Amino acid sequence: MELKGKVALVTGGARGIGQFISEELARQGAHVVLGGTNAERAGAVAESIVKNGGQATAVKLDVSRASEVQEVFDRIAKEMKPLDILVNNAGITKDGLLVRMKEEDWDQVLAVNLKGAFLCGQQAVKQMMRQKQGAIVNISSVVGATGNFGQANYTASKAGLIGLTKTMAREAAPRNITVNAVAPGFIDTDMTRGMDDKIKEELLQKIPLGYFGTPMDVAHCVVFLASGRARYITGQVIHINGGMLM
Ligand code: NAD
């Protein structure tokens, strides 16, 4: 229970990797605030955490809307305590080849994946600065480092998150706040489940460990980075990809 007494916000915490991160943070004693666009689904996950003896609250949160972000952070400070841990997990894909990519698909992906992390990160750092401690973990992606066919918008957002992580880490370090990113490879979730079997088979050939990751593989690393055990780690990108990128 190394996170007892801490308040953590996980964006997009209602399913996939975000749900596992939320459940693991709660298992370690944190009061988890699950922010999701689908309030009902976030509510159901929060309820199951509470049933299992944890503390959780579900809030409606579209990270691309500055006013919603502000409201959620104000509520956390007022009803709980200033935030200790932020996990910028919310993310979407709208794939298409560069030459055919619609401007709105570019804008939407950047608004959720990158601007969302900026808006939440800005509010989080303001609250953490006052208590002179905190940990922020941004969920990037291996393709932010390598690029990927058909993902100009997504890869740009995930590469942007790495730059944002390093700047936030530098600016927040004097107040004892750590900011890191994790970059998962291929993790079995709704986001990847719809992919063509042939593409999955080709991908598998590129993973030295020979299997796809699970959301728990990511959750373990995020919870470590959010804990006191990682207090001297900041501005880093931890790759979780079975050796796909070395
Ligand atoms: P997912 O689609 O299952 O989950 C994404 C979550 O983000 C959902 O809960 C969704 O409701 C939420 N979300 C979407 N738009 C939002 C918005 N505007 N505001 C708040 N929440 C919003 O996908 P996942 O695989 O669990 O992905 C989680 C994160 O991990 C994403 O940032 C994704 O880019 C990243 N990632 C996933 C993989 C993978 O292989 N699955 C690999 C690398 C990185």
Side-chain angles (χ1 to χ4, degrees), residues 77-220:
K78 201 166 150 220
E79 293 176 16
M80 294 166 218
K81 64 184 272 294
L83 197 72
D84 301 292
I85 297 163
L86 167 68
V87 183
N88 277 316
N89 165 79
I92 56 169
T93 53
K94 288 198 178 288
D95 297 353
L97 289 176
L98 175 76
V99 288
R100 285 195 220 125
M101 187 169 284
K102 291 194 200 105
E103 186 183 354
E104 67 203 61
D105 289 346
W106 171 273
D107 287 344
Q108 273 181 29
V109 169
L110 270 289
V112 175
N113 299 9
L114 189 54
K115 184 179 149 192
F118 155 69
L119 292 173
C120 293
Q122 188 179 49
Q123 293 297 325
V125 168
K126 281 186 194 167
Q127 293 196 6
M128 291 169 179
M129 277 169 83
R130 275 181 243 131
Q131 30 178 21
K132 293 199 174 61
Q133 62 95 23
I136 298 175
V137 185
N138 296 322
I139 312 295
S140 178
S141 169
V142 66
V143 297
T146 62
N148 201 20
F149 255 88
Q151 291 199 306
N153 47 6
Y154 184 76
T155 53
S157 73
K158 295 298 183 180
L161 261 183
I162 293 174
L164 177 65
T165 298
K166 293 182 182 183
T167 295
M168 282 170 70
R170 285 182 190 278
E171 292 188 9
R175 300 295 179 101
N176 197 30
I177 300 163
T178 62
V179 188
N180 292 290
V182 299
F186 189 101
I187 308 296
D188 188 20
T189 67
D190 286 353
M191 194 176 262
T192 46
R193 221 156 276 149
M195 277 169 69
D196 192 79
D197 282 346
K198 195 167 159 272
I199 294 176
K200 281 191 191 170
E201 200 44 53
E202 283 168 15
L203 259 171
L204 210 49
Q205 303 301 322
K206 295 183 187 151
I207 302 174
L209 279 178
Y211 58 90
F212 297 136
T214 67
M216 204 56 183
D217 291 320
V218 181
H220 280 311

Side-chain angles (χ1 to χ4, degrees), residues 11-85:
T11 67
R15 68 163 202 244
I17 294 171
Q19 180 177 346
F20 278 76
I21 293 170
S22 300
E23 290 168 350
E24 192 53 21
L25 286 168
R27 255 192 293 276
Q28 294 307 323
H31 182 152
V32 183
V33 181
L34 296 103
T37 43
N38 183 339
E40 221 169 275
R41 174 101 185 103
V45 176
E47 214 173 281
S48 102
I49 289 175
V50 171
K51 258 193 203 140
N52 286 311
Q55 284 179 286
T57 305
V59 293
K60 156 93 179 67
L61 174 62
D62 177 342
V63 294
S64 65
R65 294 173 183 267
S67 58
E68 260 181 51
V69 171
Q70 178 82 59
E71 268 171 41
V72 165
F73 276 83
D74 287 350
R75 198 179 143 194
I76 290 171
K78 201 166 150 220
E79 293 176 16
M80 294 166 218
K81 64 184 272 294
L83 197 72
D84 301 292
I85 297 163

